[in-house]
Amino acid sequence: MLNRFVTATLIAAALAGPAFAQDRRAPSSAAELRLSYAPIVQRAQPAVVNVYAAKTVQNRNPLLDDPLFRRFFGVPGNNRPEQMQRSLGSGVMVDASGLVVTNNHVIEGADQVKISLADKREFEAEIVLKDSRTDLAVLRVKDGREKFATLDFANSDELVVGDLVLAIGNPFGVGQTVTHGIVSALARTQVGITDYQFFIQTDAAINPGNSGGALVDMTGKLAGINTAIFSRSGGSQGIGFAIPANMVRVVVASAKSGGKAVKRPWLGARLQAVTPEIAETLGLRAPSGALVANVAPGSPAARAGLKLSDLIVAIDGQSIEDPNAFDYRFATRPFGGSAQIDVQRGGKTIKVTIPLEVAPDTNRDEITISARSPFQGARVANISPAVAEELRLDSNAEGVVVVNLEDGAPAASVGFQKGDIILAANNQKIARTSDLDKAAKSSSRLWRIVVVRGGQQINVTLGG
């Protein structure tokens, strides 16, 4: 007992010092095997919160659409049974004024959000910013009049496979729980969870309810936000994924600046992965890097001299394995400066300097179609560079695109998806959102619609 107390005291003293670098070494004595994580947990735990979200949904029983059924059973036409759906997750306090970061999927569609601190106190919270591309959201405590405990951001680029980490959250709603493990892998880019696929993989036990919780390094700093698990049973099987702190920092900074959307540097080029066949054609030893497939005129990439078929192999000295790795590295660069990209062109490596600036968002003219039509409930916008960047559209895309869909609305029911580009409706070209709004107001028993989805043109015929 005495040994543990002395050891814990020494760890606490070390953490209090100015240097926080991890000492990466194997235990050298039996005494070191009795080291405790308690000082790190005591420091981090107060900043990790439970997140409770609730939304009201209407049960859409198809029988209630029949006026004879409603009349027989005495159900008013506008009275559908409502149900409260609740979700549970975790979050991390990142600002003493009451700013909390969590996963977007924890609070998606929520009407009410509450947070609960480690000391059981509860607070109402408001949603400040949601970013589906990273699956992150930022909340703010309502009427917060105190200074809350916070976690500082670690530099997640300094993590090394094998580093010890702690996962803190509220699995299965049992209460705040701490588990430990190691960093199993870095830069996981084939997970398929979010647009920015660049995850920290850990074997620290992560379960449902841990989403939005903290992955903490041995300096007591936030290394990542726990987001997903790979599981056949629904429980932890030793493969969990966390969003790196450097990406979380970008989203939080946008929330602090008062933005409703996350601002990221704009490249203005479409990249593709290097397949073994492409690698052989280019004479590469291995299929790695990001190949430039398209460059938008007037974009930062074009002004910097990036060209079609250039192979990007590094950014600011960090190697690039695939387009996902580049997207992450580029998106976490600060505005105002520039990024130096290493490019292989014609068998030689050259350096290209890309300015870090926001994509222009001119003439977006975002509206929701309300007229009775297959488009009803679709929120659409004119495609600007910013919209193309948000929805990962081709940098040369033009026209009107679906940016959101109301749950249960006709547009969602007939199969429209976020990112669909609407080219024509009943032989009328759709170039602006006003064109679509006008077309939707024209009554028609048959709708012939031309849509581009994933680069493929689709012709659809729907009944009115």
Side-chain angles (χ1 to χ4, degrees), residues 43-62:
R43 178 177 187 161
Q45 207 167 26
V48 181
V49 304
N50 301 335
V51 178
Y52 304 94
K55 66 176 177 179
T56 304
V57 296
Q58 288 187 333
N59 290 329
R60 296 186 63 85
N61 188 328

Side-chain angles (χ1 to χ4, degrees), residues 217-302:
D217 67 13
M218 290 297 102
T219 70
K221 291 184 177 180
L222 182 66
I225 293 294
N226 299 319
T227 296
I229 58 174
F230 176 84
S231 175
R232 300 184 187 278
S233 63
S236 175
Q237 291 187 310
I239 301 179
F241 301 99
I243 300 167
N246 287 0
M247 178 59 82
V248 181
R249 193 197 308 265
V250 171
V251 176
V252 171
S254 291
K256 285 183 175 181
S257 68
K260 294 299 181 183
V262 179
K263 294 182 179 180
R264 301 180 178 90
W266 172 45
L267 177 65
R270 180 166 56 87
L271 308 178
Q272 70 178 70
V274 178
T275 63
E277 293 77 18
I278 292 175
E280 184 177 354
T281 302
L282 297 176
L284 303 176
R285 293 179 59 188
S288 66
L291 195 64
V292 177
N294 179 277
V295 179
S299 66

Side-chain angles (χ1 to χ4, degrees), residues 382-441:
N382 297 326
I383 299 176
S384 65
V387 172
E389 188 78 6
E390 287 172 24
L391 300 178
R392 298 183 74 98
L393 304 176
D394 191 292
S395 52
N396 290 325
E398 296 179 346
V400 174
V401 64
V402 176
V403 296
N404 201 8
L405 294 159
E406 294 178 359
D407 290 339
S413 301
V414 301
F416 280 111
Q417 296 179 11
K418 185 176 178 179
D420 283 349
I421 301 173
I422 302 168
L423 298 183
N426 287 344
N427 299 320
Q428 297 180 40
K429 182 181 177 181
I430 305 299
R432 316 289 298 171
T433 56
S434 56
D435 297 337
L436 184 60
D437 191 39
K438 181 179 178 181
K441 290 176 180 176

Side-chain angles (χ1 to χ4, degrees), residues 349-360:
T349 300
I350 62 173
K351 294 188 181 295
V352 175
T353 302
I354 305 285
L356 299 171
E357 55 191 52
V358 181

Side-chain angles (χ1 to χ4, degrees), residues 206-219:
I206 296 173
N207 288 288
N210 272 109
S211 289
L215 189 71
V216 180
D217 67 13
M218 290 297 102
T219 70

Side-chain angles (χ1 to χ4, degrees), residues 102-452:
T102 185
N103 280 138
N104 183 56
H105 73 258
V106 171
I107 54 87
E108 183 64 28
D111 302 318
Q112 306 168 22
V113 180
K114 288 184 178 181
I115 67 161
S116 173
L117 304 183
D119 61 11
K120 309 300 182 184
R121 287 183 298 156
E122 289 190 354
F123 296 87
E124 295 279 347
E126 61 182 346
I127 300 171
V128 178
L129 183 149
K130 297 191 296 181
D131 186 45
S132 59
R133 298 189 67 184
T134 56
D135 192 21
L136 290 172
V138 180
L139 316 175
R140 178 180 286 115
V141 174
K142 290 182 179 178
D143 302 323
R145 300 180 181 178
E146 62 178 281
K147 296 294 184 182
F148 295 95
T150 64
L151 271 183
D152 294 330
F153 289 109
N155 180 356
S156 50
D157 285 345
E158 293 180 352
L159 286 175
V160 176
V161 174
D163 280 353
L164 290 168
V165 285
L166 304 178
I168 308 177
N170 184 14
F172 298 110
V174 300
Q176 198 172 90
T177 301
V178 182
T179 56
H180 87 284
I182 63 169
V183 173
S184 305
L186 294 167
R188 286 296 193 210
T189 60
Q190 303 300 320
V191 180
I193 303 169
T194 65
D195 284 354
Y196 289 100
Q197 297 186 50
F198 198 87
F199 295 94
I200 301 166
Q201 183 182 327
T202 178
D203 67 348
I206 296 173
N207 288 288
N210 272 109
S211 289
L215 189 71
V216 180
D217 67 13
M218 290 297 102
T219 70
K221 291 184 177 180
L222 182 66
I225 293 294
N226 299 319
T227 296
I229 58 174
F230 176 84
S231 175
R232 300 184 187 278
S233 63
S236 175
Q237 291 187 310
I239 301 179
F241 301 99
I243 300 167
N246 287 0
M247 178 59 82
V248 181
R249 193 197 308 265
V250 171
V251 176
V252 171
S254 291
K256 285 183 175 181
S257 68
K260 294 299 181 183
V262 179
K263 294 182 179 180
R264 301 180 178 90
W266 172 45
L267 177 65
R270 180 166 56 87
L271 308 178
Q272 70 178 70
V274 178
T275 63
E277 293 77 18
I278 292 175
E280 184 177 354
T281 302
L282 297 176
L284 303 176
R285 293 179 59 188
S288 66
L291 195 64
V292 177
N294 179 277
V295 179
S299 66
R303 299 199 308 270
L306 206 61
K307 297 182 178 179
L308 191 69
S309 299
D310 280 349
L311 181 66
I312 299 174
V313 295
I315 176 170
D316 291 336
Q318 295 173 309
S319 61
I320 298 298
E321 294 295 321
D322 56 31
N324 287 321
F326 179 85
D327 286 347
Y328 168 81
R329 296 291 184 197
F330 194 69
T332 53
R333 291 298 184 269
F335 289 112
S338 60
Q340 194 169 75
I341 297 175
D342 291 356
V343 171
Q344 288 186 6
R345 180 189 297 168
K348 297 180 180 180
T349 300
I350 62 173
K351 294 188 181 295
V352 175
T353 302
I354 305 285
L356 299 171
E357 55 191 52
V358 181
D361 196 13
T362 54
N363 301 318
R364 186 184 185 110
D365 195 21
E366 194 169 306
I367 61 171
T368 299
I369 304 298
S370 57
R372 184 177 177 83
S373 69
F375 306 105
Q376 187 177 3
R379 189 157 187 82
V380 295
N382 297 326
I383 299 176
S384 65
V387 172
E389 188 78 6
E390 287 172 24
L391 300 178
R392 298 183 74 98
L393 304 176
D394 191 292
S395 52
N396 290 325
E398 296 179 346
V400 174
V401 64
V402 176
V403 296
N404 201 8
L405 294 159
E406 294 178 359
D407 290 339
S413 301
V414 301
F416 280 111
Q417 296 179 11
K418 185 176 178 179
D420 283 349
I421 301 173
I422 302 168
L423 298 183
N426 287 344
N427 299 320
Q428 297 180 40
K429 182 181 177 181
I430 305 299
R432 316 289 298 171
T433 56
S434 56
D435 297 337
L436 184 60
D437 191 39
K438 181 179 178 181
K441 290 176 180 176
S442 62
S443 59
S444 178
R445 298 185 62 183
L446 202 64
W447 290 85
R448 294 181 177 86
I449 304 169
V450 182
V451 175
V452 172

